[in-house]
Amino acid sequence: MNSILVDSGTSPQIVPADHPLVTSTDRGFTYGDGLFETIRVLNGQALFLNRHLRRLASGLTLLNLSIPWNAVTLTERIQQLIAANQMTEGILRLTITRGSGPRGFGIPAQAQPQLIIQAAPLPPAPPPATAILVPWRTDPASPLSQLKSLSALDKVLAKDFASQAGVTEALFINLNGNLSEATSSNIFIVQHDQILTPAVSEGVLPGITREVLIEYALAWGQRIIETAITPAQLTTASEAFLTNSVSGPRPLIGFEGQAIGTGQPGPITNILAQEYQQLCETVSQPTK
Amino acid sequence: MNSILVDSGTSPQIVPADHPLVTSTDRGFTYGDGLFETIRVLNGQALFLNRHLRRLASGLTLLNLSIPWNAVTLTERIQQLIAANQMTEGILRLTITRGSGPRGFGIPAQAQPQLIIQAAPLPPAPPPATAILVPWRTDPASPLSQLKSLSALDKVLAKDFASQAGVTEALFINLNGNLSEATSSNIFIVQHDQILTPAVSEGVLPGITREVLIEYALAWGQRIIETAITPAQLTTASEAFLTNSVSGPRPLIGFEGQAIGTGQPGPITNILAQEYQQLCETVSQPTK
């Protein structure tokens, strides 16, 4: 995991991970003007890569940012970095910035986007999570709510707010008072044997694991409904869980100092976590 | 303007402006986890520098980010860069990032903040501005509303929204429906011979030019009131203007396709712009 890939549009280079790469006029650095994807690697394969690249493409369109790499090229770059690091398991971060530009927020007519792909080891499976509410509200009408962007200081501050309160996660609420997501994961609750998750229209980053669960749940004997969810519903849920690409479904067992359900990982969460892990193993088989 | 100053806590270095400086694990780059200040240089002096450094210090406290440079050291670094670029006039950008950290939003216990100071020429005085409303709302309770942060993609998108509508600026409104600020400036309106500006509690970055105007206005025979302002009040204002450290008071002559007042720069705006420019000349005299 000691090397990273960088590409300014001409040709990719593999360089040491601690190499200074970004100029101080790159808008990714100056204004957080760029996007990233966090991708799990299993059995040497980048999991659900096409879905990640599709979401990335949607985000770039919202940013009015056109890049010189198509999905095929990005896939090659990722495979090149996996090979360079001899990764079988781990996490990739793919970052695209708008590139250098003059001072000012206006989007420059000419800019050369930068691509950086980094590798990190897979962290140990996290313990069940506990959460509190973020003390400010977000607007689902903001394009930022749909973007996995480099402008993530709100998430840094929310995560720190949770840490200082002694819990693992902070949940954002929107200006309608409904739950949207956690700092780096989507949220699901189980209520009357139904699985609910906030609809994208509530101001939710459309997570890849979220998308996969919604699509595969029926095959696993479950049904996931996208809807509006209030914090009060979380309090009375029989179980809850968080999802992201790094750790899959993760039990959420406490909220605002109270246990959710029994205060233990719930049976439906456990089923989904097992099925999801099995799916990851299946789709990462090289013979596929 | 071809060199920049960089300091990782040990000793400052002057390097070429296009030098790659930032590693891809720097949280300023990965998460927009850092702050900046935009400072005007006149007669070789960094204008209102103590005010800028005071605001920076407040922001760093909100971020729980402690830096190894005090105001004296930062002032020395700035003077060093002004000398290296032989600047008499121009714009400085001082950036502080939290430094490198492992993957994840949580604030690392150990991090080495980075200081980067850049120089740019003073842009020509901009023409009078026109504006529209940003189509999403912000929460004044978010700490981000008080921070001049590297997570500025909302401002990039708002500015682009304005450009696409053929106007120069976009005005943010908060979830109470009141005006807060423009993408890189504070807003003031004139109504019944009173000058009004949104209070900081409306979710306003406390601009340095804003602060200076509020303090000096009485000496110039004017009075500025910090309050809540609705978009409807802007429509019926007799004049309006924007302020930032780069261009001082700038007339705002149109809003949502309609003229503000006569559609020309107003007399009170002109007085304040002249007085402010005179103040800048006075405080930048080396003999002072």
Side-chain angles (χ1 to χ4, degrees):
Chain A
M1 313 293 180
N2 291 321
S3 59
I4 58 183
L5 182 143
V6 59
D7 190 346
S8 304
T10 48
S11 60
Q13 283 184 289
I14 302 276
V15 297
D18 57 358
H19 208 66
L21 286 177
V22 184
T23 65
S24 58
T25 54
D26 189 296
R27 291 173 58 97
F29 174 71
T30 52
Y31 301 136
D33 188 2
L35 299 178
F36 71 103
E37 289 287 331
T38 305
I39 305 160
R40 182 171 164 204
V41 173
L42 186 64
N43 299 317
Q45 305 291 314
L47 283 181
F48 306 117
L49 182 58
N50 289 342
R51 294 176 190 261
H52 282 286
L53 296 181
R54 216 150 50 215
R55 179 173 68 178
L56 179 67
S58 304
L60 292 170
T61 301
L62 273 178
L63 288 196
N64 196 12
L65 200 174
S66 59
I67 57 172
W69 311 281
N70 60 21
V72 174
T73 314
L74 290 175
T75 302
E76 283 170 8
R77 300 284 186 275
I78 283 172
Q79 287 166 343
Q80 194 177 344
L81 188 68
I82 290 174
N85 283 291
Q86 298 177 300
M87 283 176 91
T88 53
E89 253 201 345
I91 304 295
L92 295 174
R93 173 178 158 130
L94 184 156
T95 305
I96 287 176
T97 80
R98 201 182 297 274
S100 280
R103 227 182 43 74
F105 292 132
I107 296 176
Q110 300 288 331
Q112 191 171 22
Q114 301 291 305
L115 166 67
I116 293 176
I117 311 175
Q118 300 155 269
L122 188 72
T130 50
I132 54 173
L133 283 185
V134 172
W136 67 87
R137 297 189 177 205
T138 55
D139 187 349
S142 165
L144 262 75
S145 70
Q146 316 275 325
L147 295 171
K148 199 167 170 73
S149 88
L150 305 184
S151 285
L153 187 54
D154 57 335
K155 293 172 173 123
V156 171
L157 291 171
K159 183 82 176 175
D160 192 49
F161 178 73
S163 297
Q164 291 191 24
V167 298
T168 39
E169 263 305 330
L171 303 177
F172 288 97
I173 47 171
N174 62 31
L175 43 78
N176 302 318
N178 297 326
L179 294 172
S180 58
E181 59 193 0
T183 62
S184 59
S185 41
N186 291 114
I187 182 166
F188 295 73
I189 70 169
V190 181
Q191 202 175 37
H192 312 306
D193 291 327
Q194 279 187 323
I195 310 173
L196 311 179
T197 193
V200 169
S201 58
E202 296 294 326
V204 171
L205 179 79
I208 301 303
T209 306
R210 174 185 182 280
E211 176 182 300
V212 167
L213 286 191
I214 291 171
E215 280 184 34
Y216 280 84
L218 279 176
W220 300 337
Q222 308 292 336
R223 181 146 176 262
I224 298 175
I225 299 165
E226 298 175 79
T227 182
I229 302 176
T230 63
Q233 277 177 279
L234 179 55
T235 313
T236 58
S238 58
E239 44 186 301
F241 58 95
L242 305 173
T243 63
N244 66 27
S245 294
V246 176
S247 47
R250 174 188 185 185
L252 175 65
I253 59 170
F255 174 59
E256 295 279 341
Q258 297 200 322
I260 296 174
T262 63
Q264 297 293 321
I268 292 179
T269 303
N270 287 340
I271 289 171
L272 290 177
Q274 285 162 23
E275 293 282 7
Y276 177 78
Q277 181 55 30
Q278 182 57 50
L279 177 67
C280 291
E281 290 288 348
T282 304
V283 299
S284 65
Q285 290 310 311
T287 53
K288 184 175 179 288
Chain B
M1 311 291 178
N2 291 321
S3 60
I4 58 182
L5 181 144
V6 59
D7 189 347
S8 304
T10 48
S11 60
Q13 284 185 289
I14 302 278
V15 298
D18 57 359
H19 208 66
L21 285 177
V22 184
T23 65
S24 58
T25 54
D26 188 296
R27 292 173 58 97
F29 173 71
T30 53
Y31 301 136
D33 188 2
L35 299 178
F36 71 104
E37 289 288 329
T38 304
I39 305 160
R40 183 173 164 205
V41 173
L42 185 63
N43 299 316
Q45 305 290 315
L47 283 181
F48 307 117
L49 181 57
N50 289 343
R51 294 175 190 261
H52 282 285
L53 295 180
R54 216 151 50 215
R55 179 173 69 179
L56 179 68
S58 304
L60 292 170
T61 301
L62 273 177
L63 287 196
N64 197 11
L65 200 175
S66 59
I67 57 172
W69 310 282
N70 60 22
V72 173
T73 315
L74 290 175
T75 302
E76 283 170 7
R77 300 285 187 272
I78 282 172
Q79 287 167 343
Q80 194 177 346
L81 188 68
I82 289 175
N85 283 291
Q86 298 177 300
M87 284 176 91
T88 52
E89 254 202 342
I91 304 295
L92 295 175
R93 174 178 156 130
L94 184 156
T95 305
I96 287 175
T97 80
R98 200 182 298 275
S100 280
R103 227 182 43 74
F105 293 130
I107 294 176
Q110 300 288 332
Q112 192 171 23
Q114 302 289 306
L115 167 66
I116 293 176
I117 311 175
Q118 299 156 271
L122 187 72
T130 51
I132 54 174
L133 282 185
V134 172
W136 66 87
R137 297 190 178 204
T138 55
D139 187 348
S142 165
L144 261 76
S145 70
Q146 316 276 325
L147 295 171
K148 199 167 171 74
S149 89
L150 304 184
S151 283
L153 187 54
D154 58 335
K155 292 171 174 129
V156 171
L157 292 171
K159 183 82 177 176
D160 192 48
F161 178 73
S163 296
Q164 292 191 24
V167 297
T168 38
E169 263 305 330
L171 302 177
F172 288 97
I173 47 171
N174 63 31
L175 45 76
N176 302 318
N178 298 325
L179 294 173
S180 58
E181 60 193 359
T183 63
S184 59
S185 42
N186 291 113
I187 182 168
F188 295 73
I189 70 168
V190 181
Q191 203 175 35
H192 311 308
D193 291 326
Q194 278 189 324
I195 309 172
L196 311 178
T197 193
V200 170
S201 58
E202 297 294 326
V204 172
L205 179 77
I208 302 303
T209 306
R210 175 185 181 278
E211 176 183 299
V212 167
L213 286 191
I214 291 171
E215 282 182 32
Y216 281 83
L218 280 177
W220 301 336
Q222 307 294 335
R223 180 145 178 260
I224 298 175
I225 298 165
E226 297 176 79
T227 182
I229 303 176
T230 64
Q233 278 177 277
L234 179 55
T235 313
T236 58
S238 57
E239 44 185 302
F241 58 95
L242 305 173
T243 62
N244 67 25
S245 293
V246 174
S247 47
R250 175 188 185 186
L252 175 65
I253 59 170
F255 175 59
E256 295 280 340
Q258 297 198 319
I260 297 174
T262 63
Q264 297 293 321
I268 291 177
T269 303
N270 287 339
I271 289 171
L272 290 177
Q274 285 162 24
E275 293 281 7
Y276 176 77
Q277 182 56 27
Q278 181 57 50
L279 178 67
C280 291
E281 290 288 347
T282 304
V283 300
S284 65
Q285 290 311 312
T287 51
K288 186 177 180 288

